[in-house]
Amino acid sequence: MFTRLQTKLVVLFAGLFGLAILLCGAVVYTEVSENAGRTVRRELLASGEVFDRLWELRSSQIQDGASLLARDFGFREAVATRDDATIRSALDNLRARLDLHRAFIMDIDGAITGLDTPMDEARAAALWMALDSDPNAAGVTLIDNEPYQAIAAPILSPTLAGWVVFAVRLDAAEMAMLEKLSAIPLQASVLRREAQGAWTPVNGEDAFADARRLNRFVDAMLKPGEARELDTRDGRVIALAKPLHELGGDGQSVLLLRYPLALALAPYRPILLAVVLVGLLGVSLVVAGSWALARQLTRPIIALDAAAQQLARGAEVSVPVETRDEIGRLAGSFNTMAAEIRARERTITHLALHDAETDLPNRVALAQFIAAASGDGATVVAAMGVDRFHQVRGAIGYALANALLRKIALRLGADRPGLYIARVATSILGVVYRAADGEEAMRFAAALQECLNAPIRLGDDSIDASLTIGLAFHEPGDSPETTVDRAGIALDQARAARRKIARFDADAYGDPARNLSLTSDLMAALGNGGTSIFLQPKYDLRRRSVTGAEALVRWRDPRRGMVPPDLFIGMAEQTGHIRPLTDWVLGEAVAAQATLRAAGHDLTIAVNVSGRLMDDEDFARDAIGVIGRAGADICFEITETAVIDNPDVALRLIDRYAAAGISISIDDYGSGLSSLAYLKQIHANELKIDKTFVMSLAQGHRDALLVKSTIDLAHSLGLKVTAEGVETAEALAVLQTMGCDLAQGYFTGRPMPVADLLSFLRTPDRSSALSQA
Ligand code: C2E
Ligand code: CA
Ligand code: CA
């Protein structure tokens, strides 16, 4: 009903107090009214007795007067002689003196003298009988149909001659006189009935509403008893009925004394009023007091309630602890709880936005930062791939590899306050910065790369780390996630193109929906002549002749034009279509070799075999079958960094290839992080140094050293060495002095169709130019 605690408390207190006051008032009222009733009853009884006394007094006074007259000689004479005039004058005289209403005589024969109107016979006879039995009789009688208090005295002359009767009318004036004589303001009236009829007030008074009740009341009163309560037209009264003696006749009369209860209660009214006032004052004081108390009690609770709601809305809240009572302690507990919730929230938010291994911000945090980024220039997202991260991690363990990532992030961020760095994939850091244009973005990325030129210290050891970077501009309207994805794709594109930095190339990437159709188009192309193989010569530096060629797939799509292998090979690997592609290339290679053989050129043909196929036993069986049946001389190039799901199976298969006369070449050596142990495990015949090293041979001292030591290392393991990416005569000369076995590159020969290779091999100019280098 009441939703506020404060109102509830006030209503409860005020209600209880009001109830108590009401009970108190009721008790006081009943006590007072009963007391008043008792007092009035007592007073009435006392007054009744006083009336009796007064009545007697008056009666004896009149009696005296009557006796005096009855004994008067002259009067007796007049009665005896029936001297009416004298009798009347004597009666009148005494009547006036005693202040009486009537005075008359009744002679022994029953004749009446002194009354203006004669008394009716029956009543006269009744009076005579009463006087005859008691000459000094007194009582109520009717004269002219009006009740009178009559008193008689005998007239003896000397024998009984008659009676003197004096009468006082029981009228309103008489009653008023009686009332005046009482100590309390009571009302007197005479009630009368004839021959057991109904009681009626003799002077026509109209105070009694209910005649039957009045009758019952008076009847009950005829036996002597207490005063009782009675309803009248003027309200409740306390009344006492006193029977009056009757003088002859069969009528009955009572004197009814009554006193209004309201009057009895009047003296107590101030007390009752005081009780009511005190009660009202008390209730208002209790209301005010409990209101104040409830306010004081509920204020901290209201504050707590408000704070809890704010907390639910996620606001930072704390409530003041003002007291040391339960509420104070509750406030304290609330604050502790709120603080703990906040701390937990912070932890959760931190976990949600940070990478668990490095505690660097994660991809989600990066996206949020990009969404909020603003300032001069455009927002650039750089996906920085740590080169050879998986190999590093394999060598130094996960914990140190994560520490390495952290250190790289720290170094990138040092002195670059605006830089936001997050970990977006296992080996990729996402970096956000602002740049005016693409060139500035590239320059800044290069600067970031350079800060890893110095090795990174991890405990007592140091590690050489390098970054390949993919860049994407955050275009307004793009989602931050899309931009991060594009940066990642740009990184893949950079790696595929063997570049250190690349911007996202939307054309090369195409759109994902198109990419999916790309592979199915590729599969179709395999069967309908859309694909072909190019052969790139491998030049033997010692024999100074082309002794082999690498088969490279080419795809000309009618809509897309030439599609670079870097784009569709990866896609074919990921969509599981690399097997049919490789089968097809192998078939073409075997056929090309036969063509070359037929022309007198005995070349080992190298076929690239994806890491995905290295542990594929079906592929191995089929490939060995195809090669064996053709008696072909085939070499499998396996990329050093290839992801092989099942290395044990792969190693076993490599042994099977060797047994089948298929040589194994480790491709792209240097782009990964192969350990010596790994190289030893693979029973390979050849090592191909990655073209990035070879292409920078002339400029970089460091790369030259690396290439040289790689050649020595490979030789010590009994491997031949092919240098890829030989683009210049200088590079070829350097490689020759280093003792490299074979060279493959644009300088020694571009990838070309078989027919072109045939004429290439026939051209003596080309071979002599190479011999001179
Ligand atoms: P790869 O096996 O390292 O092949 C050598 C790549 O270097 C070829 O690119 C070739 O055109 C390029 N190249 C040769 N000489 C030079 C040079 O002097 N300078 C420069 N800058 N580049 C040179 P291509 O044909 O675009 O092939 C790219 C990659 O695609 C290959 O790299 C290989 O991993 C993959 N690939 C090509 N054909 C096949 C195939 O039939 N099967 C599989 N699994 N992979 C293939
Ligand atoms: Ca290759
Ligand atoms: Ca290669």
Side-chain angles (χ1 to χ4, degrees):
M1 186 156 67
F2 301 109
T3 51
R4 290 180 60 197
L5 187 59
Q6 192 176 355
T7 324
K8 276 187 199 167
L9 286 173
V10 170
V11 169
L12 180 73
F13 287 151
L16 283 177
F17 186 80
L19 201 68
I21 284 285
L22 217 64
L23 281 175
C24 231
V27 167
V28 167
Y29 182 80
T30 4
E31 200 47 46
V32 158
S33 54
E34 261 177 27
N35 199 37
R38 265 199 306 278
T39 313
V40 170
R41 269 191 279 274
R42 246 194 339 263
E43 280 291 334
L44 272 180
L45 281 178
S47 296
E49 268 157 41
V50 169
F51 274 130
D52 286 349
R53 210 80 48 74
L54 281 172
W55 196 271
E56 270 167 33
L57 201 68
R58 185 135 167 83
S59 301
S60 65
Q61 215 178 17
I62 297 169
Q63 187 94 62
D64 286 351
S67 306
L68 207 68
L69 186 63
R71 267 180 272 136
D72 183 87
F73 180 75
F75 183 71
R76 285 199 302 209
E77 270 281 314
V79 172
T81 57
R82 299 194 179 256
D83 180 357
D84 271 15
T86 310
I87 293 169
R88 277 179 194 272
S89 117
L91 287 173
D92 280 349
N93 191 5
L94 205 60
R95 188 171 57 88
R97 204 147 46 87
L98 290 177
D99 197 13
L100 303 170
H101 294 115
R102 296 290 165 118
F104 60 92
I105 57 165
M106 175 176 260
D107 65 22
I108 198 83
D109 303 323
I112 291 174
T113 315
L115 280 182
D116 300 336
T117 43
M119 191 181 277
D120 78 86
E121 268 176 37
R123 187 144 291 277
L127 183 61
W128 188 90
M129 296 262 280
L131 294 177
D132 187 43
S133 56
D134 176 10
N136 287 312
V140 178
T141 191
L142 285 182
I143 304 171
D144 288 349
N145 266 331
E146 277 185 293
Y148 280 78
Q149 163 74 358
I151 289 135
I155 306 164
L156 301 165
S157 57
T159 54
L160 181 68
W163 300 271
V164 178
V165 181
F166 287 160
V168 179
R169 194 163 48 225
L170 295 174
D171 58 4
E174 186 69 15
M175 291 300 114
M177 195 197 72
L178 278 180
E179 286 166 5
K180 240 184 277 166
L181 288 171
S182 163
I184 54 169
L186 45 74
Q187 292 160 323
S189 40
V190 172
L191 303 179
R192 204 184 145 69
R193 67 172 175 186
E194 300 299 333
Q196 303 299 316
W199 289 96
T200 40
V202 292
N203 42 22
E205 197 184 3
D206 190 23
F208 310 99
D210 189 333
R212 284 174 56 207
R213 291 254 287 278
L214 179 69
N215 267 338
R216 251 182 283 135
F217 178 82
V218 178
D219 285 345
M221 276 277 161
L222 289 181
K223 294 151 229 156
E226 282 238 311
R228 297 190 184 187
E229 288 188 13
L230 173 70
D231 280 321
T232 70
R233 285 195 196 282
D234 307 326
R236 231 171 148 66
V237 298
I238 295 178
L240 184 70
K242 295 178 78 65
L244 297 174
H245 186 255
E246 198 70 15
L247 199 59
D250 52 0
Q252 280 179 296
S253 303
V254 291
L255 176 69
L256 188 76
L257 300 173
R258 57 188 205 273
Y259 189 89
L261 210 56
L263 268 182
L265 282 175
Y268 297 98
R269 207 160 285 146
I271 296 177
L272 291 174
L273 193 71
V275 168
V276 169
L277 281 181
V278 166
L280 283 178
L281 186 72
V283 168
S284 31
L285 279 178
V286 166
V287 166
S290 51
W291 182 262
L293 180 71
R295 224 180 103 81
Q296 206 189 346
L297 279 177
T298 53
R299 203 168 43 89
I301 297 176
I302 291 169
L304 266 175
D305 181 41
Q309 282 174 16
Q310 273 178 284
L311 186 69
R313 268 180 257 121
E316 288 245 342
V317 281
S318 113
V319 289
V321 182
E322 285 166 340
T323 53
R324 292 159 65 92
D325 54 14
E326 290 86 341
I327 289 177
R329 284 201 296 278
L330 184 62
S333 309
F334 176 85
N335 286 344
T336 317
M337 185 185 78
E340 268 168 24
I341 288 175
R342 276 197 301 277
R344 234 168 287 161
E345 235 168 43
R346 270 195 293 274
T347 314
I348 290 168
T349 320
H350 186 89
L351 286 177
L353 295 176
H354 286 79
D355 169 51
E357 290 169 333
T358 57
D359 207 34
L360 289 170
N362 63 12
R363 209 184 166 92
V364 179
L366 186 80
Q368 283 182 2
F369 182 83
I370 295 168
S374 65
D376 292 334
T379 303
V380 183
V381 179
M384 306 203 158
V386 179
D387 297 329
R388 296 185 292 263
F389 183 76
H390 295 281
Q391 285 78 2
V392 174
R393 193 171 65 179
I396 65 176
Y398 276 61
L400 280 178
N402 289 330
L404 174 69
L405 263 187
R406 262 199 78 81
K407 289 245 167 146
I408 293 175
L410 277 177
R411 195 177 283 181
L412 293 177
D415 303 326
R416 294 185 185 88
L419 213 62
Y420 192 84
I421 306 175
R423 187 188 197 182
V424 294
T426 314
S427 62
I428 303 173
L429 296 175
V431 177
V432 180
Y433 58 89
R434 305 196 71 82
D437 50 29
E439 248 172 59
E440 192 187 318
M442 294 288 253
R443 265 204 308 281
F444 189 75
L448 289 178
Q449 260 169 346
E450 269 164 31
C451 68
L452 291 191
N453 280 350
I456 289 189
R457 291 205 68 82
L458 277 181
D460 290 339
D461 305 308
S462 61
I463 285 186
D464 269 320
S466 61
L467 296 172
T468 303
I469 300 180
L471 297 179
F473 276 86
H474 181 58
E475 309 285 350
D478 281 346
S479 79
E481 287 78 11
T482 307
T483 312
V484 177
D485 285 347
R486 284 188 183 146
I489 294 159
L491 172 62
D492 291 341
Q493 289 175 332
R495 283 192 165 142
R498 308 216 174 275
R499 284 165 56 193
K500 297 300 282 178
I501 304 173
R503 269 184 70 179
F504 173 66
D505 183 347
D507 295 336
Y509 178 62
D511 72 82
R514 232 181 65 190
N515 290 342
L516 200 63
S517 73
L518 191 83
T519 43
S520 49
D521 288 353
L522 171 67
M523 289 305 109
L526 285 179
N528 65 22
T531 48
S532 60
I533 61 161
F534 274 27
L535 294 170
Q536 184 173 31
K538 289 170 98 172
Y539 181 77
D540 189 312
L541 288 169
R542 256 178 280 278
R543 292 212 230 151
R544 294 179 179 274
S545 65
V546 175
T547 55
E550 179 178 358
L552 295 161
V553 69
R554 292 291 175 264
W555 175 27
R556 180 180 292 279
D557 183 72
R559 279 181 298 133
R560 299 181 183 89
M562 286 300 290
V563 186
D566 281 326
L567 198 70
F568 65 82
I569 295 292
M571 207 89 71
E573 282 179 336
Q574 278 146 29
T575 53
H577 294 102
I578 194 67
R579 170 83 200 270
L581 175 82
T582 310
D583 286 345
W584 182 85
V585 172
L586 181 63
E588 290 296 300
V590 169
Q593 188 172 52
T595 310
L596 290 168
R597 267 187 191 158
H601 303 290
D602 213 357
L603 300 189
T604 307
I605 305 292
V607 172
N608 292 286
V609 178
S610 159
R612 305 252 169 201
L613 291 178
M614 286 316 296
D615 51 7
D616 187 332
E617 309 214 30
D618 289 349
F619 169 75
R621 191 190 55 231
D622 293 353
I624 290 170
V626 168
I627 294 164
R629 278 193 296 277
D633 176 14
I634 299 293
C635 166
F636 280 174
E637 290 192 8
I638 311 160
T639 304
E640 185 222 321
T641 55
V643 184
I644 299 167
D645 291 336
N646 231 325
D648 295 343
V649 179
L651 285 178
R652 217 178 55 232
L653 291 182
I654 287 172
D655 287 346
R656 267 177 70 186
Y657 291 135
I662 300 165
S663 55
I664 300 292
S665 174
I666 293 167
D667 204 355
D668 299 344
Y669 182 78
S671 63
L673 194 108
S674 307
S675 64
L676 195 63
Y678 169 79
L679 288 181
K680 263 180 159 172
Q681 261 185 325
I682 299 173
H683 296 144
N685 311 82
E686 182 193 50
L687 198 72
K688 292 183 83 171
I689 299 176
D690 193 72
K691 55 179 172 280
T692 48
F693 298 100
V694 179
M695 273 150 50
S696 55
L697 253 189
Q699 310 115 35
H701 197 68
R702 213 175 109 186
D703 283 347
L705 212 69
L706 218 123
V707 171
K708 170 78 177 112
S709 54
T710 304
I711 293 169
D712 294 346
L713 172 76
H715 284 163
S716 72
L717 288 169
L719 298 171
K720 280 190 167 183
V721 179
T722 300
E724 290 184 320
V726 182
E727 293 184 345
T728 58
E730 292 80 43
L732 191 69
V734 172
L735 287 165
Q736 192 142 34
T737 53
M738 284 179 176
C740 184
D741 304 292
L742 294 149
Q744 179 185 349
Y746 292 167
F747 183 69
T748 50
R750 289 190 171 255
M752 57 192 96
V754 195
D756 291 10
L757 183 63
L758 278 172
S759 50
F760 175 88
L761 291 172
R762 278 198 299 270
T763 310
D765 292 354
R766 188 73 192 158
S767 350
S768 69
L770 287 173
S771 329
Q772 280 157 19

